[in-house]
Amino acid sequence: PSPPPPIIPPSLPQPTESGFSSSNPNKGATGASCQEDEDCLSATCVMETCREGRLGDRASCFVARDCDSGSCTTFALVSSAERVCCPGGQFFRIDGRAYCAQGPESGLF
């Protein structure tokens, strides 16, 4: 008789069709919490939540990969401004800080 398949404790990464999920052994459905894209069935982790797609222009964001445009920074030239997805991914730098190039505060449209 052949030996039984090995039992993998739940605390260890579980096998998936494409191998092992290193950061989340149980990939999350839309709405589940996540840290990386590979934590989600949709392969899209945005602002620590599994989503079906990235965020559109001017949506609040944490990091560039949250955005369809690939750019997440502020419109305003003040440090307390909210981070948003830059329209078209366009931004400029002043003194090492990035700002969205298209917006009411930038003066560039």
Side-chain angles (χ1 to χ4, degrees):
S2 59
I7 297 173
I8 301 173
S11 61
L12 295 176
Q14 301 295 306
T16 65
E17 288 183 12
S18 61
F20 284 88
S21 173
S22 60
S23 60
N24 187 349
N26 302 308
K27 292 189 180 208
T30 299
S33 64
C34 57
Q35 295 297 315
E36 300 176 21
D37 287 344
E38 42 284 346
D39 293 340
C40 305
L41 291 171
S42 63
T44 307
C45 180
V46 175
M47 295 178 66
E48 299 179 351
T49 302
C50 293
R51 293 177 44 112
E52 290 300 314
R54 307 266 177 225
L55 300 172
D57 290 349
R58 294 184 171 82
S60 294
C61 56
F62 288 157
V63 295
R65 72 182 176 117
D66 291 344
C67 305
D68 273 336
S69 68
S71 181
C72 173
T73 190
T74 63
F75 278 125
L77 300 175
V78 295
S79 60
S80 62
E82 175 185 26
R83 292 175 62 85
V84 296
C85 295
C86 294
Q90 297 178 359
F91 64 94
F92 62 95
R93 292 189 183 277
I94 297 176
D95 294 330
R97 293 211 42 185
Y99 303 95
C100 292
Q102 297 179 11
E105 293 85 1
S106 70
L108 302 172
F109 296 94

